[in-house]
Every structure is written in structure tokens, then in C-alpha cells.
Amino acid sequence: MSTTKLIYFPLKGVGEPIRWLLKYGNIEYEDILIGFDDWPKIKPTTPFGQIPLYEENGKKINESIAISRYLGKKVNLIGENDWENLEIDAIVDTINDLRLKLKKYGYEKDEKIKEQVKGPLFNEIRLKLKKYGYEKDEKIKEQVKGPLFNEILPYYMERMEKIAEANNGYLAINKLTWADFYFIGILDYFNYMAEMDILKGKPVLEKLREKVTNIPAIKEWIAVRPDTWYM
Amino acid sequence: MSTTKLIYFPLKGVGEPIRWLLKYGNIEYEDILIGFDDWPKIKPTTPFGQIPLYEENGKKINESIAISRYLGKKVNLIGENDWENLEIDAIVDTINDLRLKLKKYGYEKDEKIKEQVKGPLFNEIRLKLKKYGYEKDEKIKEQVKGPLFNEILPYYMERMEKIAEANNGYLAINKLTWADFYFIGILDYFNYMAEMDILKGKPVLEKLREKVTNIPAIKEWIAVRPDTWYM
């Protein structure tokens, strides 16, 4: 019986890079999937109300990036010295900055939709006129996504493309590291939030995705991963 | 001449833990302070438009937590094995989660104030009636700070106090690590955002602050640090 466990929702999200590192290292583990109905019961039992949690030999720990770094070392996807590891850590935290910006826009969008829909329609009517809500949705999405599409995403993706160009096609230190696993592993979630393929028109990053997703252990996992994990 | 440099604003913020680690390790470095007027010129020259940047032997790198981890290793404030380092990393990322929540409330507050002040008053009048703006300010601050003070801060601080209790008064692995430097070093900035001492009523964490700020190198630095660094 496996003593290694990953506790997360049945989706990709920030848990997927952890799964990829475990698969890559051929580490046997249990994917414990928390349904959204069960989450309110489980949330108070977690260290800071968040998952993923990683468990090894009965010890549990939170924070997806910290866990990914730990596994990156275990499966030998790290640098050869401290400065190289600093370069890996810096690009991963930069990717996380982008995640928070994507999330922020998602959140603003939802708040604005709520306000606008709440105004003209009462609750019961709103439920009957879901179509109305959807129409509003598209309009507002465009409005709040302006800065995201015109400024933030191009800014980050242009710089990351250049970094990959300068690093032999990888995100750091000229070779495959857990930073590449982190980015390509979380990419479906980013694309879900952005509602587009953020690598479009970035050939070096597109090639990196191809390389990572064609690693046998990753390719195999993607083939059997539930289709219902839409994000 | 020192080849180690820290490039940051003339304030504590997320740069202060880096300064503390450098002082603790007796590492000679240059504190390059970017004035707010110069920042727009310098911003486009940085990797992702953000500071602090850390420079060593002509190589520059971004991301304050990554830099703090690197220096934590350099000054021997890390764990004895990979799991211990994972525990340190996890609590530091948790502290960063709290920072983002504090920031989010600061941001919402500003946006709500702008909207409310923009409504009843034209720009010229607003300038003349600054007092009006201030009054609104206090009201809205309270309103948006409800969830922060009643839920988020107690939630995090109770858990961190318990973690310190269980770890011999430290944030991880029963001894002084760079996680303690990170938290106590960034605390003035947190307290500035929260407009209160978030350690109040948390004796174990209060004692940790006392311990870290009384380390000779840190005590010395705090004594000479410019008073104008209000946050």
C-alpha cells in the first residue's frame, strides 16, 4: 500500500504539476479526490483551509509550489548549484504571479456579473432567464479582460518566450527542470481562466509543451486522466 | 567593492527579509534604493517589471521569496533534510498567501473609495474638500476590513501561533530558520497594511519577534535603518 498521497479536487488546477512530477519519478501514490460536496467538511481539517495536501509516511504538508520543489529534487529535475536553483525558483514564482493575475480577473468578472445581474432582475426571474445572464457574462468578460489580454498576458508571455529562447528551449538553466513541469502542468488551468491558448504564437514555449507532454510517463497519464477534469 | 546588490524601494516591504538575511550572514552588499520618481524609467529594464532584484557577481534575479531561500541556505538557516526544507517552504508560502489577502483588501478599499468619492464630487471640489475624502476613507476602510479582521487575520494568526507553539517557538522544524526571518522581517509591512499589530495576543509569535529582532546583526540594522521607511 502506497504511503504517498495527493489530496486535491478532481481537476487539474495547481495539483496537476505535482501529479506530473510523481508520474515522472515513477513514484507510486494515491490520488485522493475531494468532491466539492465533501470539501466544506474537510476544509477545517487542513492546515490553512487549502488543498492540495501532500502526504508521505503519515506526514502532511500544504502549498503546491513547495511540494513541487520537493518532488523536483526527489526526481532529479533541479539545478546543479544554489544559483541554478534560485533561477528555477524565480521563474516558478513568476509563473505564480501570472496565475494570481489571471485569477484576479476571473474574480472581478464574477463580481461585476453578480452586480449587474442582481440589478435588473430578481432572483427567481434570473433563474428562469439564465440566457440573459449568459449574454451579460460575455459582455462583461470582454470589458474586464481588456487589461488582461492587451497588457498582462502579452507582457508575461513575450518575456517567457524570450527566456525559453535564451535557455535552450527551457524555462531555466538550459535544461529540463521542475519549472517546466510546473508551467506545462498548470497550463490547462491557465488556458481555462484565460479562455484561450496563452502559448499561441509563442513557438519556443509551444515546443516546450510538446516536449514535456511527450515524456512517456506524462503522455501515458494524460491519456488516462479523466476527461471531466476540464480545468 | 561589493559585488552583491539589493535593488528595491526605500522601504521595508518584501525587501526587508532579504536585508536581514544579508546582515545576519555578515554579507557585504549595496542597498540600491530606487526613488518612486525614478521607478517608471527603471521598471522596463527589470525581468518582469518588479523589484526587489538581487545581484551577485553581475547576475540579477527577481522574486523576493526565491532570493530569501537562496540566502537562507547561504547563511545556514535551512533544514537538515529535504522534508524539513519543504516544511520551511510551506510556511513561507502560507505567509505569502496572507500577504496577498492583506493586499487585496488594501486594493478593494482604494477602489471603493475612488468610486464613492468620484460619485458626489467633481475633481476640483474633491481637491478642496479633502476632509470629505478622509471621512469616507475611514468608513469604507471599516466596511471592507470586516472580513479581514473578523475572519482572515484571526484564522491565520491562530494557526501560526499554534505552529510556533508546536515548533519550540519557531515557525518550522523546532529551530530558527529563514522562515522566521521572512515573517518577522516582513511584519512591519503586514502591520502597516492591517493598521494594527497582528501579533497582539499571540505570545509565542510575540516572543519570536523579540528573539529575531534581538539578534545582534538585526538589532544593529534596525537601529540605523532610516525612520522614513514607514512600511
Side-chain angles (χ1 to χ4, degrees):
Chain A
M1 206 185 121
S2 169
T3 62
T4 298
K5 292 171 189 171
L6 177 67
I7 298 149
Y8 194 49
F9 297 115
L11 44 78
K12 298 168 198 161
V14 296
E16 194 65 4
I18 300 173
R19 294 191 185 105
W20 287 23
L21 288 162
L22 288 162
K23 299 286 178 190
Y24 177 80
N26 204 18
I27 298 167
E28 210 190 316
Y29 78 102
E30 203 180 329
D31 234 326
I32 297 183
L33 304 175
I34 306 293
F36 293 100
D37 290 344
D38 295 328
W39 176 231
K41 270 179 293 169
I42 290 162
K43 190 177 166 74
T45 70
T46 67
F48 283 90
Q50 290 180 327
I51 47 179
L53 292 180
Y54 174 78
E55 188 176 327
E56 201 181 283
N57 300 321
K59 290 184 292 181
K60 272 197 191 86
I61 196 91
N62 62 324
E63 289 295 347
S64 59
I65 291 179
I67 297 162
S68 299
R69 179 179 303 105
Y70 172 78
L71 291 173
K73 182 158 187 206
K74 212 186 245 290
V75 304
N76 202 22
L77 284 171
I78 60 167
E80 270 162 38
N81 56 53
D82 295 337
W83 186 274
E84 285 195 355
N85 284 323
L86 169 53
E87 288 194 7
I88 295 169
D89 287 354
I91 192 69
V92 169
D93 281 352
T94 299
I95 293 163
N96 195 45
D97 289 345
L98 175 59
R99 179 179 71 85
L100 295 167
K101 285 173 202 288
L102 282 165
K103 234 182 122 176
K104 199 190 123 204
Y105 277 94
Y107 172 85
E108 272 185 15
K109 181 192 73 189
D110 291 347
E111 285 306 301
K112 284 204 184 168
I113 289 168
K114 257 195 282 182
E115 253 172 62
Q116 205 156 336
V117 172
K118 220 162 52 185
L121 291 170
F122 294 98
N123 251 346
E124 304 97 278
I125 303 172
R126 188 171 48 150
L127 285 172
K128 283 184 196 159
L129 286 176
K130 247 190 164 172
K131 194 175 159 287
Y132 177 87
Y134 288 141
E135 273 164 16
K136 284 284 172 202
D137 190 315
E138 288 309 309
K139 243 201 213 155
I140 296 165
K141 250 192 310 201
E142 257 170 59
Q143 185 188 324
V144 294
K145 277 198 172 168
L148 182 64
F149 283 126
N150 304 328
E151 293 163 33
I152 295 170
L153 268 174
Y155 184 90
Y156 273 83
M157 299 321 290
E158 274 161 29
R159 273 156 189 78
M160 287 181 65
E161 175 80 355
K162 272 189 193 144
I163 286 171
E165 252 172 50
N167 279 279
N168 192 29
Y170 300 99
L171 288 179
I173 68 167
N174 296 308
K175 64 172 194 179
L176 185 71
T177 69
W178 68 274
D180 304 304
F181 272 68
Y182 189 79
F183 182 55
I184 304 301
I186 211 167
L187 192 61
D188 280 356
Y189 176 41
F190 279 24
N191 285 343
Y192 170 81
M193 288 193 283
E195 296 181 324
M196 65 176 280
D197 179 10
I198 65 172
L199 298 197
K200 208 186 151 192
K202 300 287 177 288
V204 185
L205 293 174
E206 276 185 343
K207 208 172 164 197
L208 176 63
R209 168 168 55 192
E210 227 181 280
K211 260 182 286 190
V212 177
T213 55
N214 275 306
I215 293 169
I218 306 305
K219 197 175 178 170
E220 208 176 289
W221 164 240
I222 289 172
V224 301
R225 182 176 63 185
D227 287 341
T228 50
W229 294 8
Y230 58 93
M231 63 178 259
Chain B
M1 206 187 122
S2 169
T3 61
T4 299
K5 293 172 188 170
L6 176 68
I7 298 149
Y8 194 50
F9 297 115
L11 44 78
K12 298 168 197 161
V14 296
E16 194 65 3
I18 300 173
R19 294 192 186 103
W20 287 23
L21 288 162
L22 288 163
K23 299 285 178 189
Y24 177 81
N26 204 17
I27 298 167
E28 210 190 315
Y29 79 102
E30 204 180 329
D31 234 326
I32 297 183
L33 303 175
I34 307 293
F36 293 100
D37 291 344
D38 296 328
W39 175 231
K41 271 180 294 171
I42 290 162
K43 190 177 167 73
T45 70
T46 66
F48 283 90
Q50 289 180 326
I51 47 179
L53 293 179
Y54 175 77
E55 188 176 326
E56 202 181 282
N57 301 321
K59 289 184 293 181
K60 272 196 191 86
I61 197 91
N62 62 325
E63 289 294 347
S64 59
I65 291 180
I67 298 162
S68 299
R69 179 179 302 105
Y70 172 78
L71 291 173
K73 182 158 187 206
K74 211 187 246 289
V75 304
N76 203 21
L77 285 171
I78 59 167
E80 270 162 38
N81 56 52
D82 295 337
W83 186 273
E84 285 195 355
N85 284 323
L86 169 53
E87 288 193 9
I88 295 168
D89 287 354
I91 192 69
V92 169
D93 282 352
T94 299
I95 293 163
N96 195 45
D97 289 344
L98 175 58
R99 179 179 71 85
L100 295 167
K101 285 175 202 288
L102 282 165
K103 234 181 121 175
K104 199 190 123 205
Y105 277 94
Y107 172 84
E108 272 187 16
K109 181 192 74 187
D110 291 347
E111 285 306 301
K112 284 205 184 166
I113 289 168
K114 256 195 282 182
E115 252 173 63
Q116 205 157 335
V117 172
K118 221 163 50 184
L121 291 169
F122 294 98
N123 251 346
E124 304 96 279
I125 304 173
R126 188 172 48 152
L127 285 171
K128 283 183 196 159
L129 286 176
K130 247 189 164 175
K131 195 175 158 285
Y132 177 87
Y134 288 141
E135 273 164 14
K136 285 286 172 201
D137 190 315
E138 289 309 309
K139 242 201 215 156
I140 296 165
K141 251 193 309 202
E142 258 171 59
Q143 185 188 324
V144 294
K145 279 199 168 166
L148 182 63
F149 284 126
N150 303 329
E151 294 162 34
I152 295 171
L153 268 175
Y155 184 90
Y156 273 83
M157 299 321 291
E158 275 162 29
R159 272 156 189 77
M160 286 181 66
E161 175 81 355
K162 271 189 193 143
I163 286 172
E165 252 173 50
N167 280 280
N168 192 29
Y170 299 99
L171 288 179
I173 67 167
N174 296 308
K175 64 172 194 180
L176 184 72
T177 69
W178 68 274
D180 304 304
F181 272 68
Y182 190 79
F183 181 55
I184 305 300
I186 211 167
L187 192 61
D188 280 355
Y189 176 41
F190 279 24
N191 285 342
Y192 169 82
M193 288 193 283
E195 295 180 324
M196 64 176 281
D197 179 11
I198 64 172
L199 298 196
K200 209 186 150 192
K202 299 287 176 289
V204 186
L205 293 174
E206 276 184 343
K207 209 172 164 197
L208 176 63
R209 168 167 56 192
E210 227 180 279
K211 261 182 285 188
V212 176
T213 55
N214 275 305
I215 293 168
I218 306 306
K219 197 175 178 170
E220 208 175 290
W221 164 240
I222 290 171
V224 300
R225 184 175 62 184
D227 287 340
T228 50
W229 294 7
Y230 57 93
M231 64 178 260

